[in-house]
Amino acid sequence: MRAVVFDRFGEPATVQDIAAPTPTLHGVVVRVEATGLCRSDWHGWQGHDPDITLPHVPGHELAGVVEATGGAVTAWRPGDRVTVPFVCACGTCPACASGDQQVCERQTQPGFTHWGSFAQYVALDHADVNLVALPDELSYGTAAALGCRFATAFRAVVVQGRVAPGEWVAVHGCGGVGLSAVMIAAASGARVIAVDVSLRALDLAREFGAVECVDASAGPDTAAVIRDLTGGGAHLSLDALGSPATCAASVNSLRRRGRHIQVGLLPSPEGTTPVPMARAIALELELLGSHGMAAHAYPGMLELVRAGVLRPDLLVTSTISLDAAPAALAAMGTAPGGGVTVIEPWS
């Protein structure tokens, strides 16, 4: 098969011909029809993820068709249209037994713990626990955005964030996950403020339901702007980018007893990120993380997509070939762009 491969962190990836995977006993091989290009892939390419060993094939957001199954797989057959959360759970650990497969103690992640979906085929573990059937009306390109960014944003806003109609919600960073959060919060009846340095991203945020947009490139204290716009601060704020500046701005933009959700990854040379904890104590803020969404939670989200309440298809702003993926991956560090870029490995 053809796949994007990098042999050294931070150095250009290339498209190579490599051996196609075979399914494990409880796993499947999926023919990848579409796979999302995500900032998390860029973090992995940069060497920020300790699970990656070289050489490596990135890619963790995907949709496609089951090509082959392991002998112990009972729920899936070749030809089934599927997607998968980026966290593939074991199904048997205490976290999985409690329904929290998104924090499985023995999780695997395509594109991180093993070779991923920037390829024509990808192997996935514990298929009966992790695969999600795709409605016929959902395109592969749209479905590819669900496994990480859209599902992560859905759980961050609805479950972890406990969004309520009429609340002020601030979204810091309007890439794929941030725009998803804007759309989901607005559809939930919240008043959304979008923050980004890209005017294109802010235009999309406004299109997806943001009632206010803050241009962070102009140099304002974005937290102060949000507190002013909301008459005291947001009820719920998400750092959808992942940087010390956006994390601090999100916490500082909250009103008393507000809720901060950290979605974007926060790598740093020291391994820690400063957080304004004095404010968290004084205002009794909640600081929570959000890490994907388990496969069993997808039906509720998919029903909202099927009903047209949520439109993840509108988030896909670019479709590229596998040959264009290495350059697009490198560009994620400086010019992530607005919306979601989808790679079609067979085009």
Side-chain angles (χ1 to χ4, degrees):
M1 69 175 183
R2 299 179 75 237
V4 173
V5 182
F6 59 85
D7 298 295
R8 292 180 177 84
F9 293 120
E11 296 190 11
T14 58
V15 177
Q16 301 179 18
D17 289 316
I18 61 174
T22 55
T24 61
L25 180 64
H26 294 275
V28 298
V29 169
V30 169
R31 174 188 163 107
V32 181
E33 298 294 341
T35 180
L37 174 63
C38 178
R39 187 171 170 83
S40 297
D41 300 312
W42 178 84
H43 281 296
W45 173 61
Q46 286 291 299
H48 298 159
D49 192 301
D51 291 324
I52 292 177
T53 57
L54 300 174
H56 187 67
V57 176
H60 62 286
E61 293 182 309
L62 68 118
V65 178
V66 174
E67 180 79 9
T69 63
V73 174
T74 61
W76 305 97
R77 297 289 182 271
D80 289 342
R81 301 175 77 249
V82 296
T83 186
V84 66
F86 77 88
V87 173
C88 289
C90 72
T92 56
C93 71
C96 286
S98 66
D100 291 325
Q101 284 91 342
Q102 75 281 352
V103 289
C104 170
E105 297 166 27
R106 293 188 288 270
Q107 65 188 254
T108 57
Q109 297 181 18
F112 297 97
T113 61
H114 63 285
W115 284 7
S117 55
F118 285 12
Q120 292 174 320
Y121 297 98
V122 64
L124 301 171
D125 298 322
H126 297 102
D128 287 343
V129 176
N130 296 302
L131 292 192
V132 177
L134 290 180
D136 289 340
E137 61 268 31
L138 197 64
S139 73
Y140 292 115
T142 299
L146 298 178
C148 175
R149 281 168 284 192
F150 201 83
T152 295
F154 186 86
R155 188 168 181 278
V157 171
V158 175
V159 181
Q160 297 293 79
R162 308 188 307 278
V163 68
E167 287 191 324
W168 283 105
V169 175
V171 178
H172 300 258
C174 292
V177 69
L179 289 173
S180 300
V182 168
M183 179 184 292
I184 293 160
S188 301
R191 294 171 289 176
V192 182
I193 300 175
V195 184
D196 205 281
V197 298
S198 165
L199 295 180
R200 168 62 174 153
L202 293 177
D203 285 341
L204 287 171
R206 194 174 288 108
E207 180 181 332
F208 298 151
V211 297
E212 300 282 356
C213 291
V214 178
D215 179 6
S217 69
D221 180 344
T222 56
V225 172
I226 291 168
R227 293 196 303 269
D228 182 60
L229 287 170
T230 58
H235 299 85
L236 171 63
S237 184
L238 297 90
D239 175 8
L241 174 67
S243 76
T246 50
C247 176
S250 179
V251 175
N252 285 328
S253 68
L254 290 169
R255 66 178 59 212
R256 284 166 172 74
R257 309 210 76 198
R259 309 177 303 279
H260 162 78
I261 310 297
Q262 187 64 42
V263 181
L265 298 176
L266 281 162
S268 70
E270 297 79 23
T272 58
T273 296
V275 176
M277 291 303 295
R279 184 175 178 84
I281 296 167
L283 274 61
E284 291 193 351
L285 305 179
E286 293 183 51
L287 310 182
L288 298 171
S290 195
H291 190 244
M293 189 168 78
H296 69 76
Y298 270 61
M301 178 184 70
L302 287 175
E303 187 54 40
L304 292 173
V305 173
R306 191 197 304 268
V309 176
L310 298 175
R311 295 287 308 277
D313 57 303
L314 299 179
L315 296 167
V316 179
T317 54
S318 176
T319 301
I320 63 174
S321 67
L322 202 63
D323 290 313
L329 175 65
M332 289 292 289
T334 55
V340 172
T341 294
V342 167
I343 301 162
E344 293 183 341
W346 296 89
S347 65

